[in-house]
Amino acid sequence: MMNFIKATKMKFLILILLLVVLSGCTDAKVSNQNVSSSSNLKVHFLDVGQADSILIQFPNGETALIDGGNREDGGFVVGYIKKIGINKINYIIATHPHEDHIGGLPEVIKNFDIGKVYMPNKTSNTKIFENLLKEIKNKGLKITRAKGGLSIIDTDDLKFTIIAPNSEKYDETNEYSIVNKLIYKNTSFIFTGDAERDSEEEMIKLGYNLKADVLKVGHHGGRTSTNYEFLKRVNPRFAVISVGKDNDYGHPHKEVLERLNRMGIKVFRTDELGTIIAASDGHKIDFNKDVANNNMVKNKKDNKIFYIGNKKTKVYHVPTCKSLPKQENRVIFHSREEAEKAGYKPHKNCIE
């Protein structure tokens, strides 16, 4: 009888130990999943209409907010950030003192713990600019003057740098815009604010490495930004335009869309898609929206799709193909017949 009781107790103890070990294994799995998901970079291009606001979740756990939309967007931006569980913004970047970029920032600063604030050396006599300075002062924050070459984050795998403005004085307020380059391992982004031709030419002249996978198109797709030489240096695979539907400015201008289309760049627009999220694991970039079907480049004369040929391989692609050739190796065809008469074959993965 005693042996039976001892054996029963032993089985009970073994069962308890197994439960402890198994529960420990489950916790470890969840923990590993959390580490894995937090190691990604996320860039949220918020749908704030005819305005700009970009939230960045860095893989090191820090966050940045580039602009805050118009004054009336403040509540939306605050709500969006809170909804995804963020309570501190490490870096606020007010690209330039126009209302459609800084309007929502006073509300953001009131509602979150803020680390550093970056602004260009440009003031404005508007009420919204005064409100922004007031909220910065109320929080006991200091303004870091932004200038090209200033590093915000600099580690082996993650770099967040200011590459404009590069002059002390410009004729246009837009030219004072802070331009940031973000590199995470093998992926990269450029955020341009409303920077226009002068600033773009300065960045080229100063020799910045402008190559990036994703370009936030300058000035909501206005014709005075995203000039061809600058676009060629960036040579992005993807472009995001933050713009309001049926806006009074005619943004994005057809000249800019044509430049992007000629280079076979996949274009995401907030007026068409709402908030756009790009996620990077350091090697590839995924978007939460797909524009493959509405991003074909149309020839207005014959309503046919453009195709992009590779001069080296003699293969032609649709503009949204993931295997597009380098810019210097591209040739444009206005029909499949034109491409095939030139001796080009269709790419097996992007053309049926």
Side-chain angles (χ1 to χ4, degrees), residues 86-268:
I86 292 171
N87 52 37
K88 179 174 182 177
I89 300 173
N90 299 89
Y91 312 105
I92 290 275
I93 295 161
T95 59
H96 63 295
H98 278 161
E99 199 264 344
D100 59 323
H101 290 256
I102 64 168
L105 290 181
E107 195 68 19
V108 171
I109 292 171
K110 277 194 288 188
N111 279 273
F112 296 96
D113 182 14
I114 306 296
K116 291 185 176 181
V117 178
Y118 293 85
M119 297 174 68
N121 189 24
K122 177 64 176 175
T123 60
S124 174
N125 60 2
T126 60
K127 185 67 176 176
I128 191 62
F129 186 74
E130 291 177 12
N131 289 345
L132 176 57
L133 295 182
K134 178 183 174 182
E135 293 304 331
I136 290 171
K137 184 178 179 181
N138 287 345
K139 278 285 182 82
L141 299 168
K142 293 182 179 180
I143 297 170
T144 300
R145 293 297 177 195
K147 57 182 180 180
L150 184 62
S151 180
I152 299 175
I153 300 174
D154 187 5
T155 66
D156 289 342
D157 288 339
L158 181 65
K159 298 182 188 300
F160 190 45
T161 308
I162 295 172
I163 58 175
N166 290 287
S167 292
E168 292 298 319
K169 191 172 182 180
Y170 295 97
D171 293 333
E172 300 290 337
T173 297
N174 284 343
E175 297 286 21
Y176 287 89
S177 287
I178 299 173
V179 178
N180 293 94
K181 181 167 184 181
L182 169 59
I183 301 172
Y184 177 44
K185 295 182 180 177
N186 296 323
T187 59
S188 50
F189 296 71
I190 284 184
F191 309 99
T192 56
D194 280 355
E196 298 185 353
R197 181 183 296 275
D198 287 351
S199 182
E200 290 178 354
E201 288 180 351
E202 282 180 336
M203 286 183 273
I204 294 169
K205 185 177 179 181
L206 290 168
Y208 287 109
N209 177 6
L210 298 174
K211 180 71 183 76
D213 297 298
V214 180
L215 172 68
K216 200 292 294 186
V217 173
H219 198 197
H220 320 288
R223 63 173 61 91
T224 53
S225 300
T226 323
N227 293 284
Y228 180 69
E229 189 59 35
F230 179 77
L231 186 58
K232 191 166 72 172
R233 296 295 181 98
V234 179
N235 195 23
R237 292 185 294 135
F238 310 105
V240 179
I241 304 177
S242 183
V243 64
K245 190 175 183 179
D246 300 325
N247 64 83
D248 295 336
Y249 306 96
H251 292 157
H253 289 146
K254 64 178 183 178
E255 300 96 314
V256 174
L257 293 177
E258 286 171 359
R259 288 173 209 155
L260 295 166
N261 287 334
R262 279 199 300 269
M263 292 180 64
I265 299 164
K266 192 171 184 177
V267 178
F268 297 80

